[in-house]
Amino acid sequence: MDTPAFRPGRKRSSCGAGQGVYNKALEDRTRAWYGEQRRLSYVQSSAALTEWKKTEGLAFLTEVSSVPLQQALRHLQAAFGNFFAKRAKYPRYKSRKRSRASAEYTRSAFTWRDGRLTLAKMARPLDIRWSRPLPEGAEPTTVTVSRDSARRWFVSMLCEDTIAPAPATGAAVGLDAGITSLVTLSTGEKIANPRHERRDRERLAKAQRELSRKAKGSSNRAKARVKVARVHARIADRRRDFLHKLSTRLVRENQTVVIEDLTVRNLLKNGTLARAISDAAWTDLRMMLEYKCAWYGRELVTIDRWFPSSKLCGACGTVREKLPLNVREWTCDCGAVHDRDVNAARNILAAGLAASACGGGVRPQRESSRTGRSSVKQEPQRATAGIPRL
């Protein structure tokens, strides 16, 4: 079977060579297992790599550093380890169009001197625009050079650093995720949704139309594909920057942050709201809150997704039977007037603080799936105490 990464006529690089070695080693392992019921180890793949370099068609592997090639084999070994441990699916081939090209260099394959990085088999240091300096006194142990689909090159350096906990504060906040307002805080503040994808939708549609008109396999189609990728990269970069600033602010200002355990994968099944939910990137925000709270000594509390945060009256505790999404403000029988999102955020905060204080949690009683429950903001009518899903 021909390995796509080793097609003739391709420009060779450490990234491309590493990708090709990964694919060829995967091909050999697959053939050995399904054809001979025999497993190949990393040592055997490494020995095979030495033989590949001696063949006429693969002699270009000697032109790049051997370290990224060996690292590619180690990554493949880790992928098979996860597969056999049933933590992942069977390893797949790396695609030139879909996979992020990368090359990993360990300490013996690069030089870091006076703030300048020189990789193995390079005569001069790389010309890099640093996004931030390395921690004081830190020495990089691993360098990863990668290129995304928009043909932008990145250098990532791994080094040890100690993050000091942030000064303690007595503040706590509950977050209610939404679409019109990206996040509503229990303080009453609403963080507007920037809608980055919508702002660039026309530019993206134009680039995609141009791509669809190009002949498949042509160089013009490749150029058009890069234009589409650059629009996507612009949207993703702006979204990530906004979420980083928001999550950092929330973690710095509050000792306890309470969020809902939303299943975004299920919510995306709603065809009407899927595009807006994807643009909101709630999963990315939660991930950032998780590791930043761990960094700075904060507490992140996650309440059950079935907790009726929107339908629960924060004044009397009554749970409303129905509350359609188009109802943004409602009045309880006790006379309390609630903003839907602010009320939900305050209820989330109260439930999270109760769970954190007593070691218990909030787990509402779930109704049968036969009732045809909507996949958007699923909230039951009754709640019972239980074990928190943290």
Side-chain angles (χ1 to χ4, degrees):
M1 182 171 56
D2 179 33
T3 306
F6 285 150
R7 291 173 183 166
R10 296 284 187 180
K11 183 179 179 180
R12 310 304 182 186
S13 66
S14 296
C15 296
Q19 189 180 69
V21 167
Y22 183 98
N23 287 344
K24 187 164 180 59
L26 175 57
E27 177 187 351
D28 288 353
R29 286 192 174 208
T30 302
R31 185 188 298 110
W33 174 251
Y34 288 101
E36 307 171 15
Q37 293 296 305
R38 179 172 56 90
R39 289 188 184 183
L40 296 181
S41 64
Y42 163 77
V43 175
Q44 291 172 308
S45 296
S46 180
L49 174 60
T50 303
E51 298 300 322
W52 297 342
K53 293 180 179 181
K54 299 177 182 179
T55 61
E56 182 178 356
L58 303 179
F60 69 91
L61 293 177
T62 60
E63 300 173 4
V64 301
S65 172
S66 62
V67 173
L69 307 183
Q70 294 290 344
Q71 290 298 103
L73 295 180
R74 290 189 176 95
H75 293 164
L76 179 61
Q77 179 67 26
F80 271 102
N82 291 332
F83 168 72
F84 290 123
K86 298 183 179 181
R87 293 190 297 265
K89 296 182 179 180
Y90 192 82
R92 297 184 298 177
Y93 291 105
K94 292 184 179 294
S95 169
R96 285 184 175 273
K97 297 179 181 179
R98 300 175 184 175
S99 301
R100 186 185 181 99
S102 63
E104 186 175 278
Y105 295 80
T106 56
R107 193 66 186 88
S108 60
F110 69 87
T111 302
W112 173 256
R113 184 178 297 114
D114 299 330
R116 309 201 71 182
L117 176 66
T118 305
L119 301 178
K121 295 201 172 184
M122 293 189 65
R124 62 185 65 180
L126 293 175
D127 183 14
I128 303 175
R129 299 179 183 178
W130 297 101
S131 60
R132 59 176 177 173
L134 291 183
E136 185 177 355
E139 287 291 331
T141 58
T142 304
V143 171
T144 303
V145 180
S146 60
R147 191 184 74 169
D148 64 5
S149 56
R151 295 188 178 179
R152 302 179 302 174
W153 289 93
F154 297 88
V155 173
S156 175
M157 308 183 74
L158 177 65
C159 58
E160 292 186 3
D161 188 25
T162 302
I163 301 177
T169 175
V173 67
L175 309 182
D176 179 66
I179 295 176
T180 303
S181 298
L182 179 64
V183 171
T184 301
L185 308 184
S186 55
T187 59
E189 179 184 358
K190 294 186 177 183
I191 309 297
N193 187 354
R195 300 180 183 270
H196 297 292
E197 188 271 339
R198 174 178 291 185
R199 293 168 63 181
D200 281 345
R201 187 170 297 176
E202 292 185 5
R203 180 182 301 182
L204 178 60
K206 180 180 178 181
Q208 289 174 330
R209 285 195 300 269
E210 293 178 353
L211 173 62
S212 66
R213 298 190 185 104
K214 307 302 181 183
K216 292 186 177 180
S218 65
S219 59
N220 285 335
R221 185 176 179 85
K223 295 177 183 177
R225 186 185 296 112
V226 172
K227 290 183 179 180
V228 174
R230 286 177 178 172
V231 178
H232 279 296
R234 169 186 166 90
I235 295 172
D237 289 347
R238 296 170 68 184
R239 180 190 295 125
R240 189 182 306 108
D241 179 71
F242 178 83
L243 294 179
H244 270 301
K245 292 176 180 178
L246 174 60
S247 58
T248 299
R249 173 203 156 187
L250 293 174
V251 171
R252 285 180 176 175
E253 294 178 353
N254 301 279
Q255 186 68 31
T256 303
V257 180
V258 186
I259 60 175
E260 285 182 291
D261 183 23
L262 296 178
T263 51
V264 178
R265 179 179 301 178
N266 291 340
L267 297 178
L268 290 175
K269 296 178 182 179
N270 184 298
T272 305
L273 300 176
R275 193 168 192 172
I277 293 174
S278 297
D279 193 23
W282 297 333
T283 302
D284 293 343
L285 177 60
R286 173 173 175 171
M287 178 187 64
M288 294 178 185
L289 289 173
E290 286 177 346
Y291 74 76
K292 290 181 182 181
C293 284
W295 279 359
Y296 300 112
R298 304 308 197 197
E299 181 182 14
L300 180 66
V301 181
T302 306
I303 68 169
D304 196 282
R305 71 188 64 138
W306 300 93
F307 178 69
S309 57
S310 298
K311 297 189 292 186
L312 176 65
C313 176
C316 67
T318 302
V319 178
R320 186 164 175 163
E321 184 176 354
K322 293 182 179 180
L323 190 63
L325 282 176
N326 60 345
V327 178
R328 310 313 301 175
E329 187 175 290
W330 59 283
T331 303
C332 182
D333 294 337
C334 68
V337 180
H338 298 293
D339 178 286
R340 179 193 184 104
D341 298 331
V342 175
N343 176 65
R346 290 172 178 170
N347 288 332
I348 290 172
L349 174 62
L353 292 179
S356 178
C358 66
V362 178
R363 178 175 297 235
Q365 181 176 345
R366 303 187 180 185
E367 299 179 358
S368 172
S369 59
R370 297 179 181 177
T371 59
R373 184 190 306 278
S374 169
S375 62
V376 179
K377 202 68 171 181
Q378 303 177 15
E379 298 169 346
Q381 299 179 10
R382 295 173 294 175
T384 56
I387 302 175
R389 302 177 62 179
L390 303 180

